[in-house]
Amino acid sequence: MKKFAYEFFLLGLICVVLAIAAFLDPLFLSSDVQIELSSEIWELGLLTLGMTLIIITAGIDLSVGSAMGLCSVSLGLCMHANLPTGVCVLACLATGLAAGALNGSLVAFIKVHPLLVTLATYGMYRGFAEGLQSATTNAPVDASEGIKALVTGNFPLIQILFTALTAWTAILLGRTATGRGLYAIGHNEEAARFSGIPIAKLKFWIYTYTGLLAGLAAISYSARRSATAEAGLVLELDVIAAVVIGGTSIYGGRGRIAGTLLGVLLIHETRQFVDWYWQRSELTLIVIGTLLILAVLGHRFLFAQDPDTH
Amino acid sequence: MSRTSKPLITIENISKSYGGVQALSKVCLNILPGEVHGLCGENGAGKSTLIKCLAGVVSPETGTITVDGKPLSHGDIHATEAAGIAVIHQESTAFLDLDLVENLFVGREIKKYGWLNRRAMERQALAVMHRLDVTLDLHTPLREFSIAQRQMVEMARACLRDCRLLIMDEPTASLSARETKTLLGLVKQLRESGVSVLYVSHRLEEIAELCDRVTVFRDGRLVATTPIDQLDRNQLIGQMVGREINALTRREEHAGQTDEVRASITGLYSRGSFSDISFEVRAGEILGIGGLVGAGRSEVARAIFGADRYDQGEIKIDGASLKKGSIQAAIEAGIAMVPEDRQHQGLILPMSVSENLSLTILTEITRHRLIHHGHETAQVQHLMRRLAVKAANAKMEAASLSGGNQQKVVLGKWLAIKPKFLILDEPTRGVDVAAKAEIHRLIRELTEAGMATLIMTSDLPELLTLSDRIQVMCEGRIAGQLDGATATEEQVMRLAFPRSEAQLT
Ligand SMILES: Nc1ncnc2c1ncn2[C@@H]1O[C@H](COP(=O)(O)OP(=O)(O)OP(=O)(O)O)[C@@H](O)[C@H]1O
Ligand SMILES: [Mg+2]
């Protein structure tokens, strides 16, 4: 039980948020509203899966939101050209893969600090997305029927993909050699290297995986709204906050997918309620910031280190 | 020194437990002014814990510590410093990214008009280095120093200020004969000037040479405090382990040695570290490499293991040439290396003992792509038993093990891969006498079964007992070769000293 103390704390925090929401407006908890508001959680959730792996290795990816924008634009171009749905999807995913692989190569092989790499690509990817859009369609492209059917049709494709990827990532992290390697890198990269852990390969892989997830998230976003360079704007705030609130240590070495999922739920419910009830986005930012600090304090309180052990 | 003088430090009924482990129970001890007080005991006996209590790093649960009759408040580093107690901890507490001068003066910088007076600090640093008879660059970040060199920095830091009690937790564990001699000389000098020293070591010769009284710990309890002249080596070991131990003796005939060349190194050269390194290690043979601190032994070890790059030369394992600078390739070729720096390179301290031990055999314990917990536990238990790792359980953080037990875990994780060629860089640093004998036996046993072993050690007796052949390095080159069966300490030392210095002495 002690192992999951923090997860229970998060669950409690979610209940508190929901209770406050129910007190202010019971309608928020009705299934209709919840389902209607739930669409965005899948995109947030997908991105946090990759981000958890990255932060566990003491890395960071600031470029996820921008990569998502770039993917969305490339999807838009394909749809604009009336290409078959399959080609559109592949192009979008390939863009994400390429964006992630660029991050990954710079971090893993050229050994530039991930904060620098992804700060640079955070600007670059968004810039490319906007440039590409204004040079071609110059406006958001409405999703083609094919893409719409894929995402918002009767078959819950994104939801199923998300569930499968979550399970896969959780198993990877908790039960495989790769997962052990990621934790080892996060705790002590030098010792991991001396133990024969393929550091560069693993790092390259997690950034690339995160890029691919950005592609997936872009498909979902574009189908619900439209394919635009605006996709994923400031989403990195929510993604990183959800992962860190979920108990993943920003210093690396600690974190679990279960915690991340709760973090996603907490961020999502809070954001949706504030948006829905007050309809003021600046308030949302403040509330999410407050939550982040609360969670960090809760973490410190629950895992109060014995002052003797450092 | 008179036996009747009032104690400088009185420790009464100190107890400390960690979870279920009683690290210290009701320890009473006093330290007289101007005495060197030895502290011995097996790995995990509680020596470092007592020192941490004295240093104010850890608060004991019960008991009192008095300095000159005045009680010392628990867990207060500043009170300790104010009382004139200086501590050199077992694991270096240095800042690896700061240079030597910054490390020496961290927290007590010399200031002039509110600005750092770097010139004055450098002058004092040079003076203290001169006193310790070491030459180290003042402006190199400590990361680039070897463990032994960092140890000397800790030493310098403690000597920088006048103190009444100097506590040293295994200060010589990674030092070679020359540095050890300087250090022992320094301790004697301090004693002359009336400073008390609390000295922890597993090297019993040092204890015998240096100490006035010895206190032995076993399982957190104090066994006895005895004047050194009433105790011989065997009695001391008896107090520590409660039984006799059979130290390994030199190997007379070379059982198991073959003509099959396992590793051949030709013309290895790395700018600024070493050059002209060529040797062969046969299956079934232990090749020892001796030399002073800074002779380049660890650098050679790291180059062979692929942890560092080298500029020229070739490494062949079983006749096949090895890819440069790739640890994975080295491991695949059957090479294992126990690095000298267990805290930064050997272990992942925040991970459990079990996770550390299985880190090198992850593929072996994977079934259907998942780590198989049954296999993992079985392997880990086997390794812990084989190396006699003392830990409450395998889920414990490696950081909470005693120094010697951490070292055993590093050895264990590399023996786990059943290496064809084992490189050991200070393999028994901080390991107690009994466990050391066991580890020696294990290394020899595995070598006789066909492994090739390369051992770099500053511990001369260890070098002489284990090695079939000895090469001595000096200033990055191989200075000469000796036969393990007949070599003497003097021969090794003569080769180890640079020519110029040898003529002076
Ligand atoms: N932070 C900690 N958490 C849990 N157990 C600890 C911690 N620190 C020390 N211990 C335990 O306390 C016991 C005494 O450890 P200590 O480091 O004092 O041994 P030691 O005598 O210095 O051994 P060595 O010769 O190996 O350095 C050991 O069993 C160790 O595992
Ligand atoms: Mg110790």
Side-chain angles (χ1 to χ4, degrees):
Chain A
M1 274 307 98
K2 201 179 156 208
K3 191 176 162 199
F4 290 100
Y6 184 69
E7 274 88 353
F8 281 111
F9 166 76
L10 280 182
L11 218 49
L13 211 55
I14 293 172
C15 292
V16 171
V17 168
L18 291 181
I20 295 174
F23 174 75
L24 288 173
D25 190 343
L27 198 59
F28 179 71
L29 288 187
S30 72
S31 53
D32 286 351
V33 174
Q34 281 293 315
I35 289 173
E36 192 189 319
L37 295 179
S38 76
S39 51
E40 279 170 26
I41 197 173
W42 313 114
E43 289 141 37
L44 177 63
L46 282 169
L47 295 177
T48 56
L49 295 180
M51 190 66 83
T52 307
L53 302 184
I54 289 177
I55 296 185
I56 281 177
T57 63
I60 190 92
D61 185 352
L62 299 175
S63 75
V64 278
S66 305
M68 191 171 146
L70 188 57
C71 292
S72 187
V73 169
S74 72
L75 179 65
L77 287 183
C78 293
M79 293 189 300
H80 190 66
N82 283 324
L83 294 177
T85 306
V87 176
C88 296
V89 167
L90 280 183
C92 181
L93 295 182
T95 309
L97 217 52
L102 178 61
N103 286 336
S105 331
L106 290 168
V107 171
F109 304 119
I110 321 282
K111 299 193 172 70
V112 187
H113 194 286
L115 191 70
L116 287 179
V117 170
T118 60
L119 186 63
T121 55
Y122 160 82
M124 274 167 56
Y125 294 162
R126 185 71 68 194
F128 279 139
E130 279 164 6
L132 210 57
Q133 176 167 314
S134 60
T136 52
T137 60
N138 204 18
V141 180
D142 285 333
S144 65
E145 291 309 317
I147 293 288
K148 268 202 185 127
L150 213 55
V151 175
T152 53
N154 284 335
F155 187 73
L157 182 69
I158 293 293
Q159 287 81 337
I160 287 179
L161 267 176
F162 172 70
T163 315
L165 284 170
T166 304
W168 182 75
T169 311
I171 290 173
L172 181 94
L173 204 47
R175 296 282 316 270
T176 69
T178 307
R180 281 286 169 84
L182 294 176
Y183 285 113
I185 293 174
H187 276 307
N188 181 345
E189 190 167 325
E190 173 96 337
R193 188 167 79 90
F194 270 80
S195 305
I197 306 282
I199 294 185
K201 197 173 117 193
L202 289 183
K203 283 192 176 174
F204 174 74
W205 182 87
I206 52 178
Y207 286 89
T208 310
Y209 175 53
T210 305
L212 181 69
L213 292 172
L216 261 181
I219 295 175
S220 164
Y221 179 94
S222 312
R224 287 190 303 108
R225 301 187 173 190
S226 58
T228 158
E230 299 257 295
L233 206 61
V234 296
L235 195 58
E236 57 282 340
L237 171 69
D238 283 17
V239 174
I240 295 170
V243 172
V244 174
I245 286 178
T248 299
S249 164
I250 200 83
Y251 302 106
R254 287 179 214 284
R256 279 195 294 262
I257 293 294
T260 294
L261 287 184
L262 292 170
V264 167
L265 203 59
L266 183 59
I267 291 278
H268 172 78
E269 292 297 340
T270 313
R271 174 178 281 279
Q272 295 307 329
F273 180 72
V274 176
D275 274 356
W276 182 77
Y277 188 76
W278 285 286
Q279 307 199 333
R280 309 201 39 177
S281 57
E282 69 274 20
L283 204 59
T284 321
L285 293 176
I286 296 171
V287 171
I288 288 184
T290 314
L291 266 185
L292 190 58
I293 291 172
L294 262 182
V296 169
L297 291 181
H299 196 270
R300 176 147 334 149
F301 175 73
L302 280 172
F303 295 97
Q305 291 240 324
D306 183 353
D308 292 352
T309 59
H310 18 211
Chain B
M1 183 199 69
S2 72
R3 293 261 176 267
T4 52
S5 54
K6 278 236 305 276
L8 173 68
I9 309 265
T10 313
I11 296 165
E12 268 173 77
N13 279 321
I14 292 282
S15 298
K16 171 77 194 173
S17 65
Y18 291 104
V21 184
Q22 193 73 34
L24 286 176
S25 67
K26 301 213 178 95
V27 169
C28 301
L29 181 74
N30 62 55
I31 299 168
L32 304 173
E35 84 165 330
V36 179
H37 195 117
L39 208 54
C40 292
E42 284 184 299
N43 293 132
K47 305 177 296 292
S48 299
T49 307
L50 179 72
I51 284 169
K52 286 180 194 155
C53 290
L54 270 171
V57 186
V58 157
S59 316
E61 282 129 18
T62 63
T64 54
I65 300 172
T66 48
V67 183
D68 264 346
K70 286 188 283 293
L72 188 71
S73 53
H74 289 327
D76 181 350
I77 300 178
H78 301 291
T80 305
E81 278 198 10
I85 301 177
V87 188
I88 303 175
H89 287 287
Q90 184 169 12
E91 306 295 348
S92 159
T93 50
F95 297 91
L96 296 184
D97 293 314
L98 299 184
D99 71 16
L100 195 152
V101 177
E102 286 159 342
N103 262 291
L104 288 184
F105 290 92
V106 85
R108 43 174 124 118
E109 292 82 0
I110 302 176
K111 294 198 181 119
K112 196 172 174 185
Y113 314 123
W115 299 89
L116 289 185
N117 188 348
R118 183 104 195 165
R119 187 93 64 69
M121 291 195 279
E122 277 169 16
R123 213 173 317 116
Q124 285 200 17
L126 279 176
V128 77
M129 302 305 277
H130 181 72
R131 208 167 131 209
L132 290 173
D133 191 24
V134 279
T135 37
L136 291 174
D137 184 55
L138 296 184
H139 309 294
T140 310
L142 250 61
R143 187 175 296 286
E144 287 166 35
F145 286 2
S146 71
I147 295 290
Q149 288 168 330
R150 286 180 210 164
Q151 190 65 49
M152 293 311 282
V153 175
E154 296 277 324
M155 205 37 220
R157 194 175 144 77
C159 293
L160 204 57
R161 281 202 333 178
D162 293 330
C163 61
R164 297 157 73 195
L165 172 66
L166 177 61
I167 303 179
M168 306 165 98
D169 197 351
E170 301 192 29
T172 55
S174 56
L175 301 188
S176 62
R178 177 172 70 164
E179 293 81 24
T180 304
K181 211 168 142 212
T182 320
L183 195 135
L184 298 192
L186 194 90
V187 171
K188 287 177 191 159
Q189 203 181 311
L190 285 173
R191 169 172 53 191
E192 295 304 309
S193 60
V195 175
S196 308
V197 179
L198 183 61
Y199 192 87
V200 181
S201 181
H202 290 296
R203 296 188 177 176
L204 303 184
E205 319 82 64
E206 285 170 14
I207 298 279
E209 179 181 341
L210 210 59
C211 299
D212 301 301
R213 293 189 300 161
V214 198
T215 293
V216 173
F217 277 31
R218 196 195 306 159
D219 294 331
R221 271 171 233 283
L222 191 146
V223 178
T225 299
T226 328
I228 194 75
D229 40 25
Q230 297 170 21
L231 202 63
D232 68 18
R233 187 186 159 92
N234 285 338
Q235 286 168 314
L236 183 58
I237 293 175
Q239 286 187 353
M240 275 163 58
V241 297
R243 66 191 145 87
E244 288 228 340
I245 57 160
N246 300 314
L248 207 60
T249 50
R250 279 202 204 196
R251 167 144 73 150
E252 298 305 334
E253 87 286 15
H254 295 186
Q257 192 166 347
T258 61
D259 285 336
E260 183 195 335
V261 175
R262 178 53 53 79
S264 95
I265 282 95
T266 22
L268 217 57
Y269 165 72
S270 170
R271 238 186 96 203
S273 309
F274 53 80
S275 58
D276 260 347
I277 305 292
S278 303
F279 57 80
E280 288 181 345
V281 193
R282 276 171 260 279
E285 179 187 46
I286 302 178
L287 174 64
I289 298 204
L292 301 177
V293 165
R297 293 171 300 169
S298 299
E299 284 78 359
V300 171
R302 283 205 303 268
I304 299 175
F305 190 55
D308 289 354
R309 301 203 151 264
Y310 51 90
D311 300 313
Q312 277 168 32
E314 190 174 32
I315 299 166
K316 280 187 176 164
I317 300 296
D318 283 336
S321 109
L322 186 70
K323 195 175 151 202
K324 217 180 203 176
S326 161
I327 292 179
Q328 276 124 271
I331 293 176
E332 217 141 276
I335 308 182
M337 181 177 84
V338 173
E340 63 167 347
D341 185 348
R342 63 172 168 248
Q343 297 250 316
H344 296 105
Q345 300 170 341
L347 289 175
I348 299 185
L349 291 173
M351 285 177 109
S352 71
V353 174
S354 159
E355 285 167 323
N356 269 289
L357 280 171
S358 60
L359 204 56
T360 49
I361 46 167
L362 287 173
T363 37
E364 201 179 306
I365 55 173
T366 296
R367 295 284 175 283
H368 310 297
R369 294 167 167 239
L370 299 184
I371 292 176
H372 190 288
H373 287 302
H375 287 294
E376 183 175 23
T377 318
Q379 287 274 8
V380 165
Q381 292 304 335
H382 171 70
L383 289 167
M384 284 178 72
R385 225 173 309 120
R386 194 161 182 199
L387 287 145
V389 177
K390 194 182 157 203
N393 60 60
K395 296 266 170 293
M396 254 173 92
E397 268 185 28
S400 64
L401 291 188
S402 79
N405 282 301
Q406 290 181 0
Q407 187 67 34
K408 293 184 206 165
V409 172
V410 184
L411 262 160
K413 89 179 219 200
W414 285 112
L415 291 184
I417 70 166
K418 304 199 179 65
K420 290 202 289 186
F421 180 34
L422 176 64
I423 305 172
L424 301 163
D425 195 356
E426 307 290 347
T428 56
R429 188 161 68 87
V431 171
D432 68 46
V433 265
K436 196 169 183 170
E438 280 313 310
I439 289 172
H440 287 171
R441 200 157 286 131
L442 193 63
I443 292 172
R444 189 175 281 176
E445 203 182 288
L446 290 169
T447 309
E448 276 170 8
M451 186 173 77
T453 304
L454 180 65
I455 177 169
M456 341 312 234
T457 173
S458 302
D459 186 338
L460 277 178
E462 178 169 273
L463 185 72
L464 295 178
T465 29
L466 273 179
S467 316
D468 295 316
R469 235 168 1 113
I470 298 172
Q471 300 209 324
V472 183
M473 276 184 73
C474 172
E475 297 185 327
R477 289 166 185 277
I478 293 177
Q481 173 163 319
L482 300 165
D483 181 7
T486 55
T488 63
E489 298 198 2
E490 289 72 51
Q491 285 176 319
V492 176
M493 287 320 287
R494 203 166 316 128
L495 287 171
F497 277 96
R499 280 281 154 70
S500 50
E501 259 184 78
Q503 274 156 9
L504 291 177
T505 43

